Amino acid sequence: MDDNQTDLTNEEQVLESAPPRSGLDLAQPFSWQATEGRQVSRGVVWYVMLAVISIGLMALAIFIFKSITFAVLLVVIDIAVIVLTGKPPRSINYGISPKGIYVADKLYDFSEFRAFGVIDEPGNPSIIVLPVKRFSTGVTLYFNIEDGERIVDMLGARLPLQEVKLDLLEKVIRLIKL
């Protein structure tokens, strides 16, 4: 290699070898803003069920386990759940650049991830970026429909796309509207 040429990093080589679809420049950083999830409407029945389950767990804690401390902890947890579920989802800044993925001003390097997948829920599309480490949590990127193609193209230039399914815990959380 002569002195006038510069070394290309692996990332730059990937960017050069993956031609952008629909004329997008994948080397340019791209940022967007989206809410972290969606606002879920919980009716009176949801709060009544929370109260019934909590009272049952408190009775179990007091009469079976003889633990007043655990019963008090359940009351604190109930208060926290009620306060947190009443708040609307906050708006988060996301970004993808040659350096990595930005979520709320925190940078995640692409080397931390092995693949990504798209979760297509009506009105709430998201991308889950799967970590290399076995017990690490994935990073969820929420986006608006109009930004979806560009985001998938930019991630696809750096990470393989794979089909992802929600794990059991995520399904339960969505089922009970947390």
Side-chain angles (χ1 to χ4, degrees):
M1 201 184 264
D2 51 62
D3 296 328
N4 293 338
Q5 292 181 326
T6 59
D7 267 343
L8 293 178
T9 63
N10 286 342
E11 189 172 81
E12 290 169 333
Q13 290 172 352
V14 167
L15 287 174
E16 287 182 359
S17 65
R21 289 184 276 176
S22 65
L24 298 174
D25 184 6
L26 300 179
Q28 292 297 316
F30 177 67
S31 62
W32 70 97
Q33 203 172 42
T35 58
E36 60 173 348
R38 63 175 192 247
Q39 181 71 35
V40 179
S41 62
R42 295 170 192 87
V44 175
V45 174
W46 189 88
Y47 290 102
V48 169
M49 290 300 295
L50 177 66
V52 168
I53 291 170
S54 296
I55 291 169
L57 288 174
M58 284 190 285
L60 185 71
I62 293 170
F63 299 119
I64 303 295
F65 297 123
K66 311 265 190 255
S67 175
I68 301 290
T69 308
F70 184 57
V72 171
L73 178 63
L74 287 169
V75 171
V76 171
I77 290 171
D78 284 343
I79 292 169
V81 166
I82 290 169
V83 167
L84 292 175
T85 56
K87 294 173 80 172
R90 62 188 171 123
S91 186
I92 297 181
N93 294 320
Y94 297 96
I96 301 173
S97 76
K99 293 180 181 180
I101 301 170
Y102 292 90
V103 178
D105 300 327
K106 182 176 181 187
L107 174 64
Y108 296 92
D109 191 69
F110 286 113
S111 64
E112 297 177 38
F113 304 108
R114 60 181 165 85
F116 75 98
V118 178
I119 304 290
D120 188 22
E121 288 187 338
N124 195 33
S126 61
I127 291 175
I128 297 179
V129 189
L130 304 170
V132 171
K133 294 180 182 174
R134 182 173 176 91
F135 294 110
S136 294
T137 58
V139 174
T140 303
L141 310 172
Y142 295 98
F143 59 92
N144 299 317
I145 296 290
E146 57 271 4
D147 297 329
E149 182 179 345
R150 179 158 187 184
I151 295 166
V152 170
D153 287 347
M154 291 185 79
L155 287 173
R158 295 166 179 90
L159 296 169
L161 175 65
Q162 85 178 40
E163 184 179 341
V164 293
K165 294 180 182 175
L166 297 176
D167 60 0
L168 180 62
L169 178 62
E170 191 69 31
K171 288 178 182 178
V172 169
I173 286 172
R174 290 172 191 230
L175 178 70
I176 62 175
K177 298 181 180 178
L178 280 179

